Amino acid sequence: FAVSLVSPSPAAAATDVWVYTSIYKEYVSQIQTAFEAKHPEYKLQVFQSGSEKIQAKLEAELLAKKPQADILVISEPFYAAQLEKRGLVHKPD
């Protein structure tokens, strides 16, 4: 997982948080609704696809030096380990 959240000021508009996930859309929408109800200062934007497409999208963004994903949820442990070795994983305190 790559997580980086900063609380905006109360007067600020909702901050977009990008989630790249291979979880089925039916489940992601439930998570999105519950999260936004609890944290109205954030707006979840979701890119949902298979792990291979997510990996290709993220690698293209990293190559362009413009990664967009804040949270990555995939079922590919080897790719997650590779991202960690590359120093791209933020572990919450």
Side-chain angles (χ1 to χ4, degrees), residues 52-66:
E52 298 84 12
K53 287 185 180 181
I54 292 170
Q55 183 176 341
K57 179 175 176 55
L58 183 57
E59 288 300 321
E61 291 174 0
L62 290 168
L63 189 61
K65 298 187 188 319
K66 295 182 180 180

Side-chain angles (χ1 to χ4, degrees), residues 47-93:
F47 175 76
Q48 190 280 333
S49 191
S51 293
E52 298 84 12
K53 287 185 180 181
I54 292 170
Q55 183 176 341
K57 179 175 176 55
L58 183 57
E59 288 300 321
E61 291 174 0
L62 290 168
L63 189 61
K65 298 187 188 319
K66 295 182 180 180
Q68 188 171 352
D70 296 298
I71 301 170
L72 179 66
V73 183
I74 58 173
S75 59
E76 179 53 58
F78 300 109
Y79 185 58
Q82 181 188 56
L83 291 173
E84 188 169 7
K85 284 181 185 175
R86 291 162 61 189
L88 298 171
V89 175
H90 171 77
K91 294 181 180 180
D93 297 332

Side-chain angles (χ1 to χ4, degrees), residues 26-46:
E26 306 83 62
Y27 299 112
V28 172
S29 64
Q30 293 175 22
I31 293 167
Q32 183 175 14
T33 300
F35 180 85
E36 289 177 352
K38 188 170 182 176
H39 301 282
E41 68 273 24
Y42 297 108
K43 173 74 176 142
L44 285 189
Q45 301 294 335
V46 178

